Amino acid sequence: MYEIGVLRPRELGTSEIDAWREMQREQSHLDNPFLSPDFALVMGEVSDRVRVAVIRDGDGIAGFLPYEERSGVGAAVGAWVSLCQGVVHRPGAVLEAAKLLRACRLHVWEFGCLVRDQPWFAPYVTLTQDAVVLDLTEGYQSYLKGLRERSPKFLKTTQYKERKLGRDAGEVTSTFAVSPGEVEQFRLLRTWKSGQYARSGRADRFARPWVVELVERLHAIDSKDFGGVLSMLYADGTPVAGHFGLRSRSTLVGWFPAYDPEFAKYSPGLIQHLRMAEAAAEAGLDAIDLSVGAGYEYKDALASRTVPVAEGVVRRRTARAGVHWARTEPVRLARRAVLGTPALYRLADRVLKSYGKRRVTS
């Protein structure tokens, strides 16, 4: 038997945060920065919708479920930008999805990037995709050796373009972790990313003030367990590409990569990823998680391995859950059809990019 209490992130005590981090350390698949107490705490400063279900049994704290609540519907913390969600739990924990929802007073819980080994949600999975992982456990040279065997043409082309960038624009250098004080470089990265969203026909994350506030707050954190990492690539001291991601003790998660379109012919984003992998390995990280790779050829090329992530929805037998089903299920079915059919995905991507080009030039 277990009991569940719901708190706001700021109400968590030191003992609870310590237990949360210990659970992440004990199980490597849970050591994702989006599952960390730090991410929930910062999101709690940005949004008043963030909650944490604290699960207790006879042996103490058994787990934590961080979530955002909107009119009885629960989703990932920072759902629009989150790349991982699930229950952070003690090894061997036994839970029930329905009981979790009742305790949280949720009629529905939606998950989009569910971490693996969450059996209590398995009956509700509607789609499973593969997240791309760069394995750095044996160091960067070992990763590079594997990359050369798996994707020789990709690696050769990227290295050639790096040399050409150096010849044409000046010495190529990089910084793995730019200081939070370098605000102009962070603004530049966000400008590049907003332009990329516009060209591809996607919604601009950085058009939302709360997203800008969130990433700025996260960039200011640099502890052993968690940090916001701004990495930049330069040619003759001029920024040409960058990436902002989150790291835990062991894993850096790819989040916001972007580059200066004026240097597009050199593929600076790919050069940036290789430089970042080398620096991450030197910093003692075991992996870079690039999230779901569907539709991104560069992710397939960079991958050492993949791990499954799931999406789906848990609904209680309530009227409000029924209304949610009627409103969202047609869209969910259409999305699954597109993601599950490569030809449809490519067509949808072309349509979005065409729309983006028209929007940029109009």
Side-chain angles (χ1 to χ4, degrees), residues 94 152 173 186-187 285 351-352:
V94 178
T173 59
F186 206 0
R187 288 197 188 106
L285 295 174
V351 170
L352 282 172

Side-chain angles (χ1 to χ4, degrees), residues 29-104:
H29 70 286
L30 296 177
D31 193 28
N32 185 296
F34 285 95
L35 292 178
S36 71
D38 307 82
F39 186 68
L41 287 165
V42 175
M43 267 302 306
E45 296 170 356
V46 173
S47 168
D48 62 1
R49 299 179 184 275
V50 181
R51 303 289 185 272
V52 178
V54 183
I55 307 161
R56 300 177 187 272
D57 60 17
D59 295 321
I61 298 177
F64 300 88
L65 173 63
Y67 64 94
E68 279 193 57
E69 187 272 337
R70 287 177 171 79
S71 301
V73 177
V77 174
W80 201 42
V81 293
S82 175
L83 295 179
C84 189
Q85 67 189 110
V87 178
V88 178
H89 58 89
R90 196 171 56 216
V94 178
L95 305 172
E96 299 175 59
K99 184 174 181 178
L100 270 173
L101 264 65
R102 285 196 300 272
C104 297

Side-chain angles (χ1 to χ4, degrees), residues 241-313:
H243 170 270
F244 182 71
L246 300 181
R247 63 152 186 82
S248 63
R249 278 178 173 250
S250 65
T251 303
L252 174 68
V253 176
W255 203 9
F256 294 112
Y259 60 85
D260 186 338
E262 292 187 10
F263 292 87
K265 67 179 182 180
Y266 301 102
S267 300
L270 300 181
I271 301 169
Q272 160 75 18
H273 274 76
L274 291 180
R275 289 289 188 108
M276 191 166 65
E278 182 176 17
E282 291 176 356
L285 295 174
D286 293 333
I288 296 178
D289 182 339
L290 296 183
S291 191
V292 173
Y296 297 93
E297 292 182 2
Y298 81 93
K299 290 188 180 185
D300 291 336
L302 287 168
S304 301
R305 54 184 170 86
T306 61
V307 295
V309 294
E311 69 174 61
V313 58

Side-chain angles (χ1 to χ4, degrees), residues 174-253:
S174 61
T175 299
F176 178 60
V178 175
S179 166
E182 299 290 340
V183 294
E184 290 303 322
Q185 294 193 51
F186 206 0
R187 288 197 188 106
L188 182 60
L189 175 68
R190 298 201 301 267
T191 298
W192 291 339
K193 194 65 181 178
S194 292
Q196 178 188 335
Y197 285 135
R199 292 189 300 275
S200 63
R202 268 71 173 183
D204 182 1
R205 267 52 175 176
F206 292 120
R208 302 289 181 91
W210 72 265
V211 176
V212 175
E213 181 181 359
L214 173 66
V215 296
E216 288 179 344
R217 286 175 180 264
L218 292 169
H219 187 208
I221 302 174
D222 182 20
S223 69
K224 184 180 295 185
D225 295 286
F226 181 89
V229 183
L230 173 63
S231 302
M232 297 295 287
L233 183 77
Y234 310 92
D236 194 28
T238 299
V240 296
H243 170 270
F244 182 71
L246 300 181
R247 63 152 186 82
S248 63
R249 278 178 173 250
S250 65
T251 303
L252 174 68
V253 176

Side-chain angles (χ1 to χ4, degrees), residues 129-149:
Q129 299 184 81
D130 290 326
V132 167
V133 176
L134 281 61
D135 190 340
L136 305 174
T137 52
E138 300 299 322
Y140 178 70
Q141 291 305 317
S142 177
Y143 166 75
L144 198 63
K145 179 182 177 182
L147 181 62
R148 186 173 290 111
E149 294 169 353

